[in-house]
Amino acid sequence: MKPLFTVHGGEQLVGEYIEREFKNVSLWLPTRDTGIDLLVTSRDNRRNVSLQVKFSKDFQMSHIEAAMRTHALAYGWWTFDRRKLRESVADYWVLVLLPFAHRDPHFIVTRPKDLAERYDKLARNQKAIQTYLWITRSRRCIETRGLTKNTVRNYVEGTLDEPVRDFSRWLENWEPIQTLNS
């Protein structure tokens, strides 16, 4: 077996988290690129969940006002290939945000189909989907691409709510792994 790639930082963070928080599962790394970065199985190996991991370091954007930064825990930026998202063989995509200010990563765990549908609703019809996700101190996850500074401020301060931009239901959504853990 000749390794074709190495584990990247996001995969390492997800793997460490799963091993620390879910004691009754096994974690597997594929030896070739199949569109699945991690495979998690129940202890008896009868049930499994496949994961595709997408990593973003924190973006402390200089144009963001200091007042808005106080309401945010992390900012992430990704570019997704629309076709790869739609055709993903993974059960779930895990978007990893690693904030500069803290050591603890944040995870957005969702089915690729649900993510693709959300971007369709946001009229992201290009081949390459650009997305910015913010996690606020109040534990909301907001998609902010294309918003004005004032609108972003209203979101992070909690005075504006637009469900299509709210990704909070997927923030730290480890239910798929929890079901294997029992």
Side-chain angles (χ1 to χ4, degrees):
M1 172 172 52
K2 179 181 172 187
L4 299 176
F5 59 95
T6 59
V7 174
H8 69 63
E11 294 165 357
Q12 181 73 30
L13 291 167
V14 171
E16 286 176 354
Y17 182 85
I18 289 171
E19 286 189 334
R20 183 176 63 247
E21 298 297 322
F22 304 101
K23 303 297 184 193
N24 293 319
V25 300
S26 297
L27 185 64
W28 306 86
L29 295 171
T31 58
R32 55 182 183 196
D33 189 358
T34 63
I36 295 172
D37 295 322
L38 301 170
L39 182 67
V40 186
T41 63
S42 58
R43 235 357 138 191
D44 63 6
N45 295 323
R46 292 179 190 255
R47 297 173 289 138
N48 65 70
V49 172
S50 58
L51 305 175
Q52 173 69 234
V53 178
K54 303 295 183 182
F55 178 72
S56 178
K57 66 179 182 165
D58 196 24
F59 284 89
Q60 294 286 346
M61 299 172 217
S62 59
H63 70 280
I64 298 171
E65 299 170 20
M68 288 179 5
R69 284 190 205 130
T70 63
H71 293 283
L73 291 175
Y75 319 84
W77 171 36
W78 293 266
T79 302
F80 302 135
D81 180 295
R82 173 173 295 287
R83 184 186 55 78
K84 288 182 180 179
L85 178 58
R86 284 261 177 227
E87 297 173 5
S88 178
V89 296
D91 296 321
Y92 290 87
W93 277 26
V94 182
L95 311 183
V96 182
L97 290 90
L98 182 62
F100 284 134
H102 330 173
R103 293 184 177 257
D104 296 329
H106 297 279
F107 307 97
I108 298 152
V109 184
T110 183
R111 292 181 186 278
K113 176 185 173 198
D114 294 338
L115 195 58
E117 288 174 0
R118 182 62 60 96
Y119 289 120
D120 288 346
K121 289 178 183 175
L122 286 165
R124 304 289 166 72
N125 301 321
Q126 319 82 311
K127 180 181 176 190
I129 300 169
Q130 299 280 329
T131 188
Y132 302 153
L133 295 173
W134 287 39
I135 298 174
T136 68
R137 292 198 185 280
S138 62
R139 302 292 183 201
R140 290 181 68 205
C141 182
I142 307 299
E143 206 290 339
T144 64
R145 174 102 172 144
L147 297 178
T148 66
K149 286 182 189 179
N150 285 337
T151 304
V152 172
R153 181 184 304 108
N154 290 335
Y155 271 112
V156 300
E157 291 176 353
T159 60
L160 183 63
D161 185 30
E162 187 179 353
V164 72
R165 288 192 176 270
D166 191 342
F167 285 53
S168 302
R169 72 180 186 157
W170 300 319
L171 181 60
E172 319 299 355
N173 174 33
W174 291 106
E175 185 180 341
I177 307 304
Q178 183 63 44
T179 61
L180 301 174
N181 195 46
S182 48

